[in-house]
Amino acid sequence: MDPTYTAEYEQFELRHWWFVVRRRIIIDMLDRRACSSPETRWLDVGCGTGVLLDAHTRIALKSKVGVEMDAASVERARSKGLEVHPASPDWNYAPLGQFDLITMCDVLEHIEHEQVALDEMHRRLNPGGTLLLTVPALMSLWSEHDEINHHFRRYRRHELMSRFDPARWQIDRCTYFCSLLLPMVWTVRKLKNLRRRTGGRPGGDFKFGHPVVDATLKSIFALERPLLRRINLSLGSSLLLVARRR
């Protein structure tokens, strides 16, 4: 990834309404289900420039580890004092040791052979350890955004849960999110697909819009945070799963 784009993408992660609310939802879930102490040893797979690792302050810095495939992002994360390593192409993270918590936020959809990655996450977790992951949902939302970002798939709830062998994993939560905005997301995706068929310029979904529009979208999306503390949502453009190693 070009260093200029790395810096630009970090700004999206820090300031874009979707990333901001998603991060708060993830931190809520970590606080309620995974972070038992500041010594909780945490591996963030696909950590980018370390925005999530940096944002969650209940876990001590010395207990945080990240892996990332983009070299510029690794260097940026290290400049913040984070322990971040280049991603292993063969999914062997044994040299990093064992962990109490692993996060994979919008990573699994980028992996062609996803079970190899999940098997390694199981090996790296201590017994009783927690895996939290998020993925894009619903193949009906497939668009050029997925292709530009090199996705292999989007998931339905039962498809994601089926990747977790009940003999090895206990699923604590599996819920859709970004539900209130689903009609808008569906409409935008279909319009983009139509534009592509008529020769329009390709493009991803993430960009900063008018501040008032972005603030409105952020406020609507944020309404899901208190709901997700209590219930699973039945449909949405993303999925969140929390599982424990038996």
Side-chain angles (χ1 to χ4, degrees):
M1 194 183 295
D2 181 86
T4 302
Y5 183 73
T6 297
E8 180 184 6
Y9 194 81
E10 183 179 41
Q11 288 304 306
F12 280 123
E13 280 205 83
L14 288 168
R15 297 171 43 226
H16 189 278
W17 61 268
W18 186 85
F19 281 106
V20 169
V21 178
R22 184 193 68 155
R23 183 162 61 253
R24 292 173 180 170
I25 289 170
I26 290 168
I27 289 174
D28 276 358
M29 203 67 67
L30 292 178
D31 285 345
R32 295 169 69 86
R33 294 184 174 270
C35 302
S36 57
S37 80
E39 306 305 313
T40 297
R41 194 152 192 266
W42 174 17
L43 174 66
D44 188 20
V45 178
C47 67
T49 61
V51 172
L52 178 60
L53 288 169
D54 212 25
H56 193 282
T57 57
R58 286 186 60 186
I59 295 178
L61 179 63
K62 66 180 182 180
S63 297
K64 298 176 181 179
V65 181
V67 294
E68 169 58 42
M69 68 179 298
D70 174 56
S73 295
V74 171
E75 290 307 310
R76 172 60 182 150
R78 287 175 173 176
S79 75
K80 303 176 186 179
L82 295 166
E83 181 188 342
V84 174
H85 302 268
S88 167
D90 59 358
W91 288 95
N92 176 18
Y93 291 111
L96 300 181
Q98 296 299 115
F99 295 89
D100 307 302
L101 167 65
I102 297 176
T103 48
M104 299 178 72
C105 298
D106 287 77
V107 171
L108 202 63
E109 68 274 12
H110 296 276
I111 304 168
E112 184 174 8
H113 303 294
E114 61 200 328
Q115 200 60 51
V116 174
L118 291 175
D119 287 347
E120 178 63 2
M121 297 305 98
H122 187 271
R123 286 190 290 269
R124 298 281 63 80
L125 277 173
N126 290 319
T130 299
L131 171 67
L132 181 149
L133 60 82
T134 62
V135 292
L138 308 177
M139 281 300 296
S140 61
L141 296 178
W142 186 269
S143 75
E144 60 189 347
H145 174 82
D146 296 284
E147 295 170 7
I148 289 169
N149 286 282
H150 306 291
H151 294 174
F152 285 97
R153 66 196 77 79
R154 302 177 71 92
Y155 293 84
R156 296 193 71 89
R157 183 173 182 269
H158 72 275
E159 292 169 339
L160 181 60
M161 293 177 66
S162 72
R163 279 27 177 207
F164 292 82
D165 180 356
R168 302 198 301 160
W169 296 97
Q170 173 185 316
I171 296 177
D172 288 351
R173 290 287 303 271
C174 189
T175 178
Y176 288 95
F177 66 102
C178 201
S179 301
L180 298 176
L181 292 170
L182 180 59
M184 183 201 75
V185 173
W186 187 91
T187 301
V188 168
R189 290 294 180 94
K190 296 306 176 185
L191 289 173
K192 284 188 173 184
N193 288 343
L194 177 62
R195 183 185 64 183
R196 181 173 59 174
R197 288 196 295 270
T198 56
R201 290 183 60 191
D205 287 355
F206 294 127
K207 53 180 66 72
F208 294 113
H210 189 283
V212 173
V213 174
D214 283 358
T216 300
L217 294 172
K218 180 179 177 181
S219 297
I220 294 171
F221 189 12
L223 293 173
E224 296 184 17
R225 282 183 67 199
L227 295 176
L228 288 165
R229 292 170 188 158
R230 296 170 175 82
I231 62 172
N232 291 334
L233 302 180
S234 58
L235 207 59
S237 65
S238 291
L239 276 160
L240 182 149
L241 180 142
V242 180
R244 296 186 187 276
R245 174 180 168 171
R246 291 194 184 277

